Amino acid sequence: MISVESGIEHTDLEKEAPWELEYRPPPLWPTSGSISFSSVNFRYNLDSPLVLRNLGASIFPRQTYGIVGKTGAGKSSLIAALFRLSEPEGSIDIDGMLTTCIGLHDLRKKMSIALQVCTAEHSHMFF
Ligand SMILES: Nc1ncnc2c1ncn2[C@@H]1O[C@H](COP(=O)(O)OP(=O)(O)OP(=O)(O)O)[C@@H](O)[C@H]1O
Ligand SMILES: [Mg+2]
């Protein structure tokens, strides 16, 4: 009965944005991988508090970045905003394309998450 209850609850979730929109990014997008966050606000649900507030940052191509902060600071939420797990306010732009102007599938199929690899040579990224 618990699984039936969970199933019913899941029919009543907030819907994600469309997977594809009429406006499609060019097939080769993104070519260089620059990312710009500008005045980004992000929350997980309509009725939950902001977890990213007025965030601005520029990520330049072919650079490796480390994001540090105490637990709950919002490191993982940065990635959640990038993948549009819920809709960010402000703008997140990848190679000149606003992530909120394209369908979720067009956005997500061009990004991947590499699980944390902690060797001496590969210990750059911590989320
Ligand atoms: N799926 C979620 N739904 C609702 N709130 C969330 C969710 N994930 C994280 N949060 C909230 O967002 C805020 C930022 O959390 P986040 O997970 O981004 O922090 P973090 O910097 O990655 O922390 P950690 O170092 O523990 O991984 C916290 O207040 C957290 O409770
Ligand atoms: Mg985290």
Side-chain angles (χ1 to χ4, degrees), residues 47-66:
D47 53 357
S48 64
L50 287 176
V51 294
L52 300 177
R53 287 181 202 85
N54 199 24
L55 175 85
S58 295
I59 308 289
F60 295 98
R62 310 192 66 80
Q63 303 287 313
T64 301
Y65 290 82

Side-chain angles (χ1 to χ4, degrees), residues 25-32 95 110:
L28 292 182
W29 174 86
T31 46
S32 46
D95 279 355
K110 296 297 179 75

